[in-house]
Amino acid sequence: MPTQTEPPHTVTTHPSNPDPAPSLQTLLDNQARYKSLRYKASLGVLVIAPALILLPPRKMDLFTFGLGASWLYCLGEFADQHGRDPWRGFKRYKQLEREKLESAAAGRTSHKGKVVEVNGELVKVGGWKGEKIVRDVRPREEEGKSISEIIMEQVWDVWEQKDLNREGGKGKGKGKGKGEQ
């Protein structure tokens, strides 16, 4: 409240002389402070998050997964500050796979299957270990058998060592299969 000796203050919403843009040095100082704050906060989360996860009650819930995700993010931040990449192992693996595919596409030997280019990506075709199983299961599915019936037959065959007996009597037992009597 103004006194009698002070003139009342007027509030101007639009100053006639706006502040000039911040200088480059001010911006760089702010950026350095922000980077330092991010580093210190990530260092704190790297220590505090596992401690909070280990405190009772120890249960796997959304809070635990959130702490784990924040820990991983802060690990990346911390590693970036030190010039390291915490995910380099995964990137190396992808690079090795790409080199294998490129060498196979160039005509060198590939392990199994062939390599084709799809949408600019080299993709390995064939060589999947489940192909034999799919070839064995499809005719049974077309006969009308369910997956559970097929699995039960396979378990029974293994139990009775049916496959070993078919291959020239290599098996020890003389077990009969489900349908044999």
Side-chain angles (χ1 to χ4, degrees):
M1 182 167 205
T3 61
Q4 292 179 354
T5 58
E6 296 178 24
H9 295 281
T10 59
V11 177
T12 57
T13 56
H14 301 288
S16 60
N17 187 9
D19 290 333
S23 68
L24 182 61
Q25 186 61 36
T26 306
L27 292 175
L28 290 175
D29 289 342
N30 288 343
Q31 185 179 15
R33 279 189 284 157
Y34 177 68
K35 206 172 194 180
S36 173
L37 176 68
R38 280 177 55 176
Y39 176 77
K40 290 175 184 175
S42 66
L43 190 59
V45 170
L46 284 175
V47 173
I48 292 173
L52 288 175
I53 289 173
L54 293 175
L55 286 175
R58 293 181 194 100
K59 57 184 178 179
M60 297 298 283
D61 58 353
L62 191 59
F63 180 71
T64 306
F65 288 114
L67 283 172
S70 64
W71 187 85
L72 286 172
Y73 178 78
C74 289
L75 178 66
E77 286 289 322
F78 184 78
D80 285 344
Q81 289 290 327
H82 290 280
R84 295 190 178 114
D85 187 11
W87 321 118
R88 69 179 178 269
F90 298 114
K91 291 178 183 176
R92 267 195 225 141
Y93 177 75
K94 286 172 66 176
Q95 183 181 8
L96 288 174
E97 281 294 316
R98 177 119 178 115
E99 287 173 1
K100 271 191 213 175
L101 292 174
E102 286 174 352
S103 67
R108 298 181 198 150
T109 61
S110 66
H111 296 289
K112 289 183 182 177
K114 59 183 179 179
V115 176
V116 294
E117 187 170 343
V118 178
N119 296 332
E121 292 280 324
L122 295 174
V123 180
K124 186 176 178 181
V125 179
W128 179 51
K129 293 180 180 178
E131 288 176 0
K132 178 182 178 281
I133 296 170
V134 170
R135 276 186 270 134
D136 292 344
V137 169
R138 275 208 181 122
R140 293 180 188 173
E141 283 180 332
E142 291 170 358
E143 292 172 3
K145 292 185 179 179
S146 68
I147 296 294
S148 61
E149 290 174 327
I150 295 170
I151 292 172
M152 288 302 291
E153 283 179 7
Q154 289 176 349
V155 168
W156 186 258
D157 289 346
V158 169
W159 183 262
E160 295 292 320
Q161 298 180 353
K162 213 180 206 183
D163 289 336
L164 294 176
N165 291 334
R166 285 186 200 157
E167 294 179 8
K170 291 180 187 175
K172 295 179 182 176
K174 296 181 182 178
K176 296 181 182 175
K178 193 175 184 180
E180 300 175 32
Q181 303 245 337

